[in-house]
Amino acid sequence: ITGEANSLEFLKDRLIYKGNVILHRDSSTLKADEVVILLDKENKPYKLIAKGNVKFRENGRKAEAEFAEYDLRKEIIHLKGNAKIEENGRVVEADEIIIYKREKRLVAKGKGKRVRTVYVEEKK
Amino acid sequence: MIRGFFLILLFLLLAFFSENYVRSLEKLKEEITVRSELKGVEIQLYGEKGLEWRIQGKTLTYADNQVVINEPVIRTQDYTITSEKLYMNKKTRKGRLEGNVEIRGPNLYLRTTNAYIDLVKNISWGYNELILRKDTNVIKGRGFKIFFKPFKVQINEVESIHTTS
């Protein structure tokens, strides 16, 4: 993971990036107002917690939300608050969206409002 | 005519004695400065909870309120700060670390060119470029602030690399 931000706070078990945060990991990019990186006992990152204007890009997939948690070990991304995903012309909007990257599976949950999905038909 | 002669003589004597007096004062001042240079120094600073900071150095020069320590090694709890020189105000316990400033702690290493330190507030800060390593995490920035109790580091204009696996 490489990162840029206006400032960073380094505590014993975490790093808190603040202000125009941009993190890159392989082909994915995470942008947010604030990102907390949780460190394990060997000071290796195992989870990212992003807050505020969260934007996630990866191989043509675009995701947005107010809040996101990325489990780096299980490769699971949990989007919360006006979550939206766009991929290959298909759009999913819900209160919560969970992306299981390894299984290539996505679960959308609507709490206050219903899940909304938009498919774009291919021209014949 | 004779009176004038005596007046001139008196004036010359006065000038001669005052010049000697001023020269002796200067010599005295020089001596004071030289006598206050100590070698192989250790200073221990105590706070409410006992020993807070320990400062060792190769030489210490002391003049008025300013203490200058060559090759200081400053320790508090698990952290050690070194640099080429430390200029510290004895009264305020604030100081300036100059040249190759390095801060080491439990799997943590920070390096910058110059920094400041406040031994009362237990903080160190700087405005120059820095690099910080914590195991496999490498962070570059410009401007930092370290709180030693409890430990926390703030870095500005950050560029970082973290190894996950």
Side-chain angles (χ1 to χ4, degrees):
Chain A
I1 300 175
T2 63
E4 291 163 46
N6 292 350
S7 75
L8 173 132
E9 218 167 275
F10 211 135
L11 304 175
K12 289 211 170 181
D13 62 348
R14 69 195 52 209
L15 303 157
I16 305 170
Y17 283 84
K18 288 181 181 171
N20 301 314
V21 183
I22 304 172
L23 297 182
H24 302 284
R25 183 178 188 235
D26 305 328
S27 60
S28 61
T29 301
L30 173 67
K31 292 182 182 178
D33 298 338
E34 178 177 317
V35 176
V36 179
I37 298 184
L38 300 180
L39 304 174
D40 63 17
K41 288 200 177 71
E42 286 146 18
N43 288 311
K44 288 206 161 70
Y46 67 90
K47 183 177 268 190
L48 307 183
I49 299 170
K51 301 171 190 169
N53 297 308
V54 179
K55 291 186 172 59
F56 179 72
R57 297 279 184 282
E58 186 178 42
N59 303 332
R61 168 190 282 162
K62 287 187 205 170
E64 289 174 17
E66 289 158 22
F67 178 89
E69 266 185 35
Y70 187 169
D71 187 318
L72 298 168
R73 301 221 165 125
K74 294 175 184 160
E75 292 281 332
I76 297 172
I77 302 169
H78 196 150
L79 302 168
K80 291 180 192 170
N82 297 318
K84 175 182 173 184
I85 284 189
E86 239 178 277
E87 193 170 10
N88 308 326
R90 188 186 68 178
V91 177
V92 176
E93 289 177 5
D95 288 317
E96 265 182 71
I97 298 176
I98 305 166
I99 307 167
Y100 297 88
K101 285 178 67 180
R102 287 204 184 118
E103 299 148 37
K104 295 189 168 53
R105 187 165 63 95
L106 181 150
V107 171
K109 297 180 188 172
K111 278 199 186 124
K113 55 186 181 191
R114 296 162 69 83
V115 174
R116 185 168 166 268
T117 312
V118 175
Y119 286 89
V120 176
E121 264 186 45
E122 281 172 17
K123 286 183 185 124
K124 286 176 184 133
Chain B
M1 195 10 209
I2 295 169
R3 217 171 74 193
F5 173 71
F6 273 113
L7 271 174
I8 291 166
L9 190 63
L10 186 66
F11 180 74
L12 283 174
L13 277 173
L14 253 169
F16 173 73
F17 280 116
S18 54
E19 198 202 335
N20 264 331
Y21 177 66
V22 166
R23 202 175 286 144
S24 67
L25 271 182
E26 266 160 13
K27 195 162 175 291
L28 194 64
K29 186 168 177 265
E30 226 170 66
E31 266 163 30
I32 288 172
T33 313
V34 170
R35 209 180 307 128
S36 62
E37 180 170 305
L38 311 172
K39 293 192 179 353
V41 184
E42 173 157 335
I43 301 171
Q44 297 188 354
L45 301 178
Y46 286 79
E48 287 142 27
K49 294 171 190 151
L51 180 61
E52 300 255 1
W53 291 90
R54 209 149 53 100
I55 306 173
Q56 292 164 314
K58 203 164 196 177
T59 64
L60 178 147
T61 310
Y62 176 89
D64 302 328
N65 259 328
Q66 168 112 317
V67 172
V68 181
I69 297 176
N70 275 320
E71 300 178 29
V73 178
I74 307 158
R75 290 192 173 87
T76 183
Q77 289 178 333
D78 305 328
Y79 300 93
T80 303
I81 305 163
T82 56
S83 69
E84 287 167 15
K85 262 192 176 359
L86 165 64
Y87 297 87
M88 195 171 71
N89 181 305
K90 188 179 84 74
K91 271 193 181 152
T92 62
R93 290 193 183 178
K94 284 184 184 170
R96 193 174 79 248
L97 294 150
E98 234 175 52
N100 288 318
V101 178
E102 294 181 340
I103 300 173
R104 288 180 172 79
N107 37 58
L108 174 125
Y109 170 77
L110 182 146
R111 191 178 70 238
T112 187
T113 46
N114 301 309
Y116 298 89
I117 191 164
D118 184 327
L119 302 179
V120 174
K121 290 180 181 163
N122 298 318
I123 57 175
S124 176
W125 70 97
Y127 304 102
N128 300 333
E129 286 176 9
L130 66 114
I131 186 165
L132 184 144
R133 289 178 201 281
K134 186 166 172 111
D135 278 315
T136 58
N137 302 289
V138 180
I139 289 151
K140 290 179 186 164
R142 175 192 291 275
F144 75 96
K145 191 171 200 177
I146 294 185
F147 302 78
F148 287 100
K149 293 164 191 171
F151 184 79
K152 179 170 84 170
V153 183
Q154 288 172 347
I155 298 171
N156 299 322
E157 297 181 33
V158 171
E159 281 178 29
S160 59
I161 300 170
H162 309 287
T163 313
T164 50
S165 43

